[in-house]
Amino acid sequence: LAVQAALFLAMMGSSVSGIALTAVLSSVHRKMLNVSVGAIVWAMALTVHYCIDASSLFGEPWSEDSFLELAGFGLIAVGQATYSGLWNRGVQSKVAEAAAESPVTDAENPAADAQSPLADTESPAVAPAAAVEAVRPVAGAESAAL
């Protein structure tokens, strides 16, 4: 009965922390954390076998397929780092460093011409007030249409 109560509390704690993680980050982050649990369990099994008790049923020795398992967990780690932006930030910082080392001046950049046809036009993201007024519905038009 005590083991069942402990398992129930562990599963409840896992579910509550998963819901909290989803509320703070996203369900994708929650799933990535769930996938990482396999790597943690495998590392603990290796630790139990080699550091605590080699005859324990909870330990696992290094096998011929362990390299493949390690490569799989490494691939998961790279995917998670890429998704969360850690991998991209490293690449972006290297690109920023390279750009800072060799800045392009306006004289070297033909696109920076002051006579550019877009130089005196409005930004396409900003709509003129007349266009906004033309789209706004006329008061009472909803009831007339019904």
Side-chain angles (χ1 to χ4, degrees):
L1 186 61
V3 173
Q4 290 175 341
L7 287 173
F8 173 76
L9 290 174
M11 289 189 300
M12 185 179 70
S14 174
S15 295
V16 168
S17 63
I19 291 168
L21 180 71
T22 303
V24 173
L25 296 174
S26 72
S27 61
V28 175
H29 288 95
R30 179 179 180 179
K31 185 48 96 177
M32 290 184 338
L33 186 63
N34 286 343
V35 169
S36 299
V37 168
I40 295 168
V41 169
W42 181 61
M44 288 304 299
L46 289 173
T47 303
V48 166
H49 180 76
Y50 288 108
C51 298
I52 298 173
D53 184 14
S55 62
S56 173
L57 296 175
F58 299 107
E60 176 184 337
W62 188 270
S63 66
E64 293 177 3
D65 297 329
S66 293
F67 287 109
L68 184 60
E69 198 167 357
L70 182 63
F73 289 133
L75 184 63
I76 289 171
V78 168
Q80 289 177 348
T82 302
Y83 179 79
S84 66
L86 294 175
W87 190 274
N88 293 341
R89 280 187 224 138
V91 172
Q92 289 172 350
S93 65
K94 289 181 181 178
V95 170
E97 288 173 9
E101 290 175 2
S102 61
V104 177
T105 62
D106 287 345
E108 297 171 349
N109 186 2
D113 186 12
Q115 300 301 321
S116 171
L118 298 177
D120 58 349
T121 61
E122 290 185 15
S123 170
V126 179
V132 172
E133 290 298 323
V135 175
R136 187 172 293 155
V138 177
E142 297 88 15
S143 59
L146 297 174

